């Protein structure tokens, strides 16, 4: 791929990104999709290359159970 075309594609992609404001609670991700998301996060670079990532996946009940202790919870 031409380098300028690649640069243009990156800029175009960044114009399309957005923050999700509304979620459909009935939609579920396939386990393979979760695995891919977690692997990409795990491979993300960090300072000094230590990659000290720890990920915790919470179900809805657990999220509600920790609201009083979590940052941003309704407390």
């Amino acid at each position: 791929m031409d380098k300028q075309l690649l640069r243009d594609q990156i800029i175009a992609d960044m114009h399309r990104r957005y923050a999700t404001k509304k979620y459909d609670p009935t939609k579920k991700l396939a386990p393979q999709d979760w695995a891919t998301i977690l692997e990409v996060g795990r491979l993300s670079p960090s300072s000094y290359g230590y990659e000290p990532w720890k990920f915790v996946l919470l179900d809805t009940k657990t999220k509600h159970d920790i609201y009083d202790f979590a940052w941003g919870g309704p407390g």
Side-chain angles (χ1 to χ4, degrees), residues 23 35 41 43 46 54 60:
Y23 298 91
L43 294 172
S46 67
K54 292 181 183 180
T60 301

Side-chain angles (χ1 to χ4, degrees), residues 33-44 53 55-57:
D33 293 336
W34 271 120
T36 300
I37 291 167
L38 289 173
E39 183 65 2
V40 167
R42 188 187 70 77
L43 294 172
S44 297
W53 315 129
F55 299 96
V56 178
L57 299 178

Side-chain angles (χ1 to χ4, degrees), residues 5-51:
L5 185 60
L6 180 58
R7 290 184 197 103
D8 292 343
Q9 183 62 50
I10 290 169
I11 291 172
D13 289 345
M14 294 308 288
H15 281 288
R16 282 190 10 239
R17 69 187 181 92
Y18 61 94
T20 302
K21 305 271 192 283
K22 188 175 179 182
Y23 298 91
D24 181 350
T26 64
K27 288 191 175 184
K28 303 292 179 193
L29 283 176
Q32 303 90 327
D33 293 336
W34 271 120
T36 300
I37 291 167
L38 289 173
E39 183 65 2
V40 167
R42 188 187 70 77
L43 294 172
S44 297
S46 67
S47 298
Y48 302 103
Y50 292 143
E51 289 85 22

